[in-house]
Amino acid sequence: IIIWDVVAETGLFRLRGHRDQITSMKFVQARSLEGTSTSSNAYDQSLMFLVTCSKDTFVKLWDLSTRHCVQSVVAHRSEVWTLDVNPIEDVLLTGGGEGEVKAWKIDHDALRSGVEETAPGQLTKMLCPMSALPIASKHRVSQIAYHPTSPFLAIQSHDKSIDIFRIRTEEEIRKKQARREKRAKEKKGQKPAVGEEVEMDAGKEDKDIQLVDLYTPYLIIRTNGKIRSFNFVANDTGSKGVQIFIALSTNAVEVHSIPNPSKSKEVPESTRMYSLDLPGHRTDIRSVSLSNDEQLLATASNGLLKIWNVKSMQCIRTFECGHAVCCTFLPGDRHVVVGTKSGDILLFDIAASSLLETVKAHSATVWSIDVRPDIGGLVSGSADKDVKFWDIEEKVNEDLSNRKVCSLVHTRTLKMSDEVLAVKYSPNMRFLAVALLDATVKIFYQDTLKFFLSLYGHKLPVLSLDISSDSKLIITSSSDKNVKIWGMDFGDCHKSIFAHDDSIMKVAFIPRTHHFISVSKDRWVKHWDADKFDLIQKFDGHHGEIWALAVGRSGMMAVTGSHDKSIRYWENTGEAMIPWEEKEVYRQKEEDAQLADEMNREDRPIGSGVEGADAVNSTERTEATAVQKHTAESLMASEKIVEAIELADKEMESVREYNVALEKIPESQRAQVGPPPRNPTLVALDITPEAYVLQTVEKVHSAALYDALLALPFSQVVRMFFYMDIWASKGTATTLTSNMLSYLLRIHSSQIVATRSLKPLLLSLRAHLRLALSRQKAQIGYNLAALKFLKRQEEDARTAEFYERGERQQWTEDEVQKMKEKMQNGEGKKRKRVSIKT
């Protein structure tokens, strides 16, 4: 767990203790003694705690002030997947993998007092078990969420539904208990007297409220797809009900409305108010295809075929289809052919938005479809070991007023020895390449279908292949993570490249070049040179496995489809690029990653004076450690700081030598000796040496500053103390100086204590910094008092306006409610600009 300072954008410290993945966490503040649950000063800001849960079945409570775990609880028999704390922070709910929801009481008195020994060998318990909350489902509890203001609790323990519970007040529970006892007595035939009823109600106050009475089932929200996460809409109006925002695994989002509790006996039901699911696909995108003019894009998934306008990025057609595996545009770009998992080939008319024909082409999955270069037909390859050839013809359709429509006519079949995974025509119309499940590629003559070549060398099946525009090269990609480049003349393998870290799903040549693009399950898109066998570029962007790839005929664009249900458009910008520079960048990134891994070792000694530390004994995992992550940015920042210190030292040394030499010269000759030339950088910026060092430090990002200071050698740390003393004496960057001083003293404490010559400098720095901090404290206090005065003045003005209007005319209930909301939200009169001077 890493605790971050959001304002400073820096990591404060790490907390370690869980032995498996951390699934959820929540901040908890200890309630102050004088505050109540509804007052503004109800919580003590200095006592902040963190509750976390993990797959290791533990729930841990961390004290952030002392940075250690104060209590560990074995919450469930299996993994703990979620937790949440109610708005008043006195009840904690946890959900486990066995479908059980448990409640825990948060003891705020124990949070304030801290860990104490209550009995021999026993410590204070801050999380006390209450009971289990019964829910209908026994599936894994994925998420628990309280509404921040309304009395509702949401629990997701099923893939497609959310259970909503209503939280009753104490008064409602007491009334229900009284009615329950009254009915029980009536069943026994004892009619209670009036005095007995009063006695019974008084005695009920002593009974404890059960968790089942507090949380009562209200309704169930059902969705169209699996639920990934949900959250309550906090700023809803509340008049028509509570809104809940749900994200689905089908790449869709929904907003449901929960009605407010009413006295009617009707069963409440949720209503779906909004749904956003039209533009994208609901499942993995398995195939993409670009039209010949690159104006249209077809994308196919399980159940949907979508046609997109490439320029506007808008979906213009959506067709229902089976489990689509491959697709392609027919000549003319007016029709799309889709091959499905069931073995059917579907023919769609884009202009008419209709399905023209369903061809029972194969008895198994149609893995690949390719259009003949003479645009007169196409070929399909299937898992039924057949390669079938089809001609594109026009026929009269009687259902469409005898209009001529496009149709596919089967002409011949090529039987193969194994399942067909990919088929491809050569651009010169001479050959047909067929990839089989036995990891070989067979090449036939296109006209006679006679066998020409067999390409073997892959260890796993070939998933994709492509032939260059000049029909001289053929590339194949396989599940063995290799791309092989072959010659079409003799079938010789020019090169085998270990291209990706996972199965390579698609490869495609860029037209009129020997460059090709490959995509893989490792989420990378890579650009290669098939002549020099070099990696030119690689791109990341997808968050899941990449299934599909299409390259435009112009070679200026490419489109990829992924398991993350996104379609990404890649454009060739035409900018000059030098491959060896890209290689250098990749090599530098790898070195930076290795260096970061080495410097981020948990057993690595931190600070100076620990060269002889025992590396074996320093591997103990402490609960709280510093947040450090060395990157290229932090190392470069450290180098820049060192360069700035060295430049400033040279400048100050030259000035000092000039002043010493000037004192040795008689006063009559001093006017003849000019000052030494200043550094060009300082002259250009027109600043002093110490200001230049400060400017360099301020340019370092706050998140990388501590890592940059950690990389400074101790000799430069001493010089940094000198410049920090100058900054403190001038009262500039007081906050930055304090933070840097605290950090440097902590990590270099051993060597600072051993260096006695630093004592005068540190004493001077302490005196100057204390004076600067006291001035800043006085200034902030003055400004804070002025702001409080302005706030009181504004509140008095609003109150006066409220009573003045009340004397003049009668207020309506709506006007009173609106005025209360304005006063709570800080609205009202327009604020005046006031200049405050210290």
Side-chain angles (χ1 to χ4, degrees):
I1 307 163
I2 301 178
I3 307 299
W4 292 84
D5 186 340
V6 181
V7 178
E9 298 181 5
T10 57
L12 299 178
F13 51 89
R14 299 174 190 258
L15 297 174
R16 295 183 297 195
H18 284 291
R19 297 180 181 179
D20 208 336
Q21 297 177 17
I22 297 169
T23 53
S24 183
M25 58 184 66
K26 196 78 175 178
F27 284 105
V28 176
Q29 282 184 293
R31 195 176 299 151
S32 59
L33 287 171
E34 61 274 5
T36 61
S37 61
T38 57
S39 62
S40 59
N41 60 342
Y43 299 99
D44 190 349
Q45 299 293 333
S46 62
L47 296 176
M48 180 70 76
F49 294 82
L50 180 70
V51 185
T52 61
C53 63
S54 168
K55 288 184 178 181
D56 60 3
T57 72
F58 281 99
V59 172
K60 287 181 177 286
L61 181 65
W62 305 83
D63 187 346
L64 299 185
S65 59
T66 58
R67 303 181 183 181
H68 75 285
C69 178
V70 293
Q71 187 176 353
S72 294
V73 179
V74 181
H76 294 264
R77 294 189 298 272
S78 61
E79 298 94 341
V80 186
W81 283 96
T82 181
L83 61 82
D84 198 16
V85 180
N86 65 340
I88 60 175
E89 298 186 354
D90 61 349
V91 175
L92 168 70
L93 292 182
T94 59
E98 75 279 4
E100 189 177 18
V101 177
K102 290 186 177 181
W104 309 81
K105 184 73 175 176
I106 301 176
D107 190 349
H108 283 266
D109 294 334
L111 293 181
R112 286 192 302 270
S113 60
V115 180
E116 296 177 349
E117 189 174 3
T118 55
Q122 294 184 359
L123 299 176
T124 308
K125 290 186 178 180
M126 303 176 184
L127 296 179
C128 305
M130 295 175 64
S131 63
L133 179 64
I135 56 176
S137 174
K138 292 300 179 183
H139 294 82
R140 185 188 80 187
V141 181
S142 303
Q143 188 176 351
I144 299 173
Y146 280 94
H147 193 281
T149 55
S150 300
F152 288 111
L153 169 69
I155 298 176
Q156 181 202 347
S157 61
H158 196 269
D159 287 342
K160 296 185 178 181
S161 64
I162 299 174
D163 296 327
I164 304 297
F165 291 80
R166 186 168 71 87
I167 305 173
R168 290 195 176 116
T169 61
E170 187 177 352
E171 183 181 357
E172 290 176 340
I173 297 173
R174 298 298 182 195
K175 287 181 179 179
K176 185 178 179 180
Q177 290 175 345
R179 288 196 301 269
R180 193 181 297 164
E181 285 204 2
K182 185 178 179 181
R183 284 196 299 268
K185 286 194 174 184
E186 287 177 352
K187 285 182 180 179
K188 292 179 181 178
Q190 300 176 2
K191 191 172 182 181
V194 179
E196 291 178 1
E197 286 183 9
V198 175
E199 237 174 70
M200 177 183 64
D201 291 341
K204 291 297 291 181
E205 298 293 330
D206 299 332
K207 289 192 176 181
D208 294 334
I209 297 175
Q210 300 296 323
L211 196 68
V212 181
D213 298 329
L214 187 63
Y215 298 96
T216 177
Y218 189 59
L219 56 86
I220 298 177
I221 298 175
R222 304 189 187 277
T223 59
N224 296 327
K226 291 184 179 180
I227 300 170
R228 281 289 180 87
S229 64
F230 66 87
N231 197 10
F232 284 106
V233 180
N235 57 347
D236 53 1
T237 57
S239 57
K240 296 182 180 179
V242 173
Q243 295 180 3
I244 185 170
F245 192 88
I246 305 173
L248 306 179
S249 61
T250 58
N251 199 21
V253 292
E254 295 180 355
V255 178
H256 290 254
S257 177
I258 304 170
N260 288 325
S262 61
K263 294 183 179 180
S264 63
K265 295 184 178 180
E266 295 181 1
V267 179
E269 292 184 358
S270 65
T271 56
R272 189 175 70 174
M273 301 178 62
Y274 312 105
S275 177
L276 179 63
D277 59 357
L278 179 61
H281 284 271
R282 309 277 75 80
T283 54
D284 296 8
I285 300 168
R286 298 307 299 260
S287 179
V288 296
S289 178
L290 279 165
S291 61
N292 291 328
D293 57 2
E294 299 181 357
Q295 298 296 316
L296 298 177
L297 169 68
T299 59
S301 65
N302 184 7
L304 288 179
L305 168 69
K306 288 181 176 287
I307 309 298
W308 306 79
N309 186 316
V310 174
K311 287 187 177 179
S312 63
M313 302 290 182
Q314 297 296 322
C315 180
I316 58 176
R317 294 286 188 275
T318 299
F319 303 96
E320 291 186 0
C321 62
H323 192 154
V325 178
C326 56
C327 69
T328 184
F329 278 92
L330 290 185
D333 299 334
R334 296 180 58 189
H335 302 86
V336 176
V337 174
V338 177
T340 64
K341 194 173 184 179
S342 60
D344 298 337
I345 294 181
L346 310 178
L347 179 59
F348 293 93
D349 188 339
I350 299 174
S353 299
S354 61
L355 173 63
L356 295 180
E357 190 177 16
T358 300
V359 182
K360 300 291 183 180
H362 296 272
S363 59
T365 306
V366 181
W367 286 113
S368 180
I369 293 176
D370 189 41
V371 178
R372 214 161 59 209
D374 64 356
I375 67 174
L378 56 87
V379 61
S380 62
S382 169
D384 61 2
K385 305 180 183 180
D386 286 348
V387 177
K388 292 189 176 183
F389 298 85
W390 310 83
D391 284 345
I392 303 171
E393 297 181 358
E394 289 187 350
K395 69 176 183 179
V396 177
N397 193 328
E398 297 178 356
D399 297 337
L400 298 174
S401 304
N402 296 327
R403 183 166 63 88
K404 288 185 177 182
V405 295
C406 187
S407 178
L408 297 178
V409 178
H410 179 225
T411 57
R412 51 183 177 168
T413 302
L414 176 63
K415 295 285 186 179
M416 304 302 298
S417 60
D418 211 333
E419 295 183 14
V420 180
L421 298 182
V423 292
K424 185 69 180 179
Y425 278 111
S426 64
N428 61 4
M429 274 290 293
R430 289 190 60 197
F431 304 108
L432 173 69
V434 181
L436 302 179
L437 189 64
D438 60 5
T440 63
V441 176
K442 309 291 186 185
I443 300 179
F444 300 89
Y445 287 102
Q446 185 273 143
D447 49 359
T448 62
L449 297 184
K450 287 185 178 180
F451 177 75
F452 174 58
L453 288 173
S454 178
L455 309 179
Y456 54 90
H458 284 288
K459 297 178 181 179
L460 293 174
V462 175
L463 302 178
S464 176
L465 55 86
D466 197 15
I467 302 174
S468 61
S469 300
D470 56 7
S471 301
K472 291 183 178 180
L473 294 178
I474 178 173
I475 52 173
T476 58
S477 67
S478 168
S479 298
D480 60 10
K481 309 173 189 177
N482 287 301
V483 170
K484 291 185 182 291
I485 304 169
W486 314 78
M488 286 291 289
D489 298 333
F490 307 103
D492 56 323
C493 181
H494 292 183
K495 185 71 174 179
S496 179
I497 304 172
F498 185 79
H500 291 268
D501 296 329
D502 209 331
S503 300
I504 304 171
M505 305 307 299
K506 288 289 180 182
V507 287
F509 271 109
I510 297 175
R512 298 175 298 281
T513 68
H514 281 180
H515 293 178
F516 67 91
I517 297 174
S518 64
V519 297
S520 167
K521 286 184 178 180
D522 64 2
R523 309 176 186 181
W524 283 96
V525 180
K526 295 188 178 182
H527 182 196
W528 303 86
D529 187 341
D531 291 331
K532 298 179 180 178
F533 318 125
D534 287 337
L535 173 64
I536 301 174
Q537 277 181 302
K538 63 179 182 178
F539 314 96
D540 60 342
H542 282 289
H543 305 292
E545 299 92 340
I546 305 175
W547 297 109
L549 167 69
V551 180
R553 297 194 70 179
S554 65
M556 300 302 293
M557 62 176 290
V559 179
T560 55
S562 168
H563 170 72
D564 61 12
K565 306 173 186 63
S566 69
I567 305 162
R568 294 193 179 266
Y569 171 87
W570 310 88
E571 185 178 8
N572 186 351
T573 59
E575 297 177 1
M577 191 196 63
I578 303 172
W580 68 267
E581 289 186 354
E582 291 291 323
K583 284 185 179 179
E584 185 66 24
V585 172
Y586 298 146
R587 188 185 62 80
Q588 187 65 37
K589 286 183 178 179
E590 291 178 359
E591 290 182 357
D592 291 343
Q594 292 176 0
L595 180 62
D597 293 340
E598 175 65 23
M599 300 191 75
N600 293 328
R601 286 189 299 112
E602 294 177 357
D603 58 341
R604 180 177 178 270
I606 298 175
S608 60
V610 289
E611 289 82 8
D614 188 2
V616 176
N617 297 330
S618 61
T619 56
E620 294 184 6
R621 295 170 59 87
T622 56
E623 268 192 346
T625 59
V627 179
Q628 295 152 354
K629 185 174 182 180
H630 291 278
T631 61
E633 181 185 358
S634 62
L635 295 177
M636 289 177 63
S638 179
E639 292 175 0
K640 289 180 180 179
I641 293 174
V642 171
E643 290 174 0
I645 292 175
E646 290 177 351
L647 188 148
D649 285 347
K650 289 180 181 179
E651 184 72 14
M652 298 188 76
E653 182 64 22
S654 62
V655 173
R656 189 188 64 81
E657 291 177 355
Y658 170 72
N659 292 332
V660 171
L662 207 62
E663 291 178 357
K664 297 179 180 179
I665 300 174
E667 293 185 4
S668 59
Q669 299 179 3
R670 289 181 183 178
Q672 299 175 2
V673 180
R678 295 188 65 196
N679 189 286
T681 304
L682 300 179
V683 174
L685 297 175
D686 193 21
I687 55 177
T688 59
E690 62 272 12
Y692 177 68
V693 177
L694 177 60
Q695 186 184 73
T696 305
V697 172
E698 288 178 336
K699 285 182 179 179
V700 180
H701 194 270
S702 56
L705 179 59
Y706 290 155
D707 292 331
L709 294 176
L710 185 62
L712 288 179
F714 186 73
S715 59
Q716 301 297 335
V717 171
V718 174
R719 295 304 302 166
M720 181 62 75
F721 285 151
F722 172 75
Y723 290 108
M724 289 165 62
D725 186 25
I726 299 177
W727 304 339
S729 63
K730 294 182 177 180
T732 56
T734 307
T735 306
L736 177 63
T737 305
S738 302
N739 294 334
M740 290 174 58
L741 179 62
S742 173
Y743 184 74
L744 292 174
L745 289 176
R746 187 167 66 251
I747 65 174
H748 294 287
S749 58
S750 302
Q751 199 156 350
I752 289 173
V753 170
T755 309
R756 294 187 177 182
S757 59
L758 279 177
K759 185 176 180 180
L761 178 59
L762 292 177
L763 290 175
S764 174
L765 177 57
R766 182 182 67 176
H768 290 151
L769 193 57
R770 280 184 176 178
L771 182 60
L773 287 173
S774 61
R775 290 175 183 171
Q776 194 173 42
K777 181 181 177 181
Q779 182 181 3
I780 293 174
Y782 181 86
N783 291 338
L784 187 61
L787 290 173
K788 288 181 179 179
F789 171 74
L790 293 176
K791 181 182 177 182
R792 288 195 302 270
Q793 199 175 29
E794 185 70 19
E795 290 176 352
D796 293 343
R798 281 204 220 103
T799 307
E801 180 188 3
F802 182 82
Y803 284 110
E804 285 174 4
R805 181 171 176 180
E807 292 176 358
R808 292 195 304 267
Q809 61 184 12
Q810 188 69 23
W811 287 69
T812 63
E813 291 184 3
D814 293 340
E815 289 176 337
V816 171
Q817 185 65 25
K818 287 181 180 178
M819 179 56 70
K820 286 182 179 179
E821 291 178 357
K822 281 187 176 182
M823 294 177 69
Q824 290 175 358
N825 298 332
E827 300 176 3
K829 285 189 176 182
K830 188 175 180 181
R831 292 180 174 84
K832 299 178 182 179
R833 291 189 176 274
V834 183
S835 59
I836 304 173
K837 296 181 180 180
T838 60

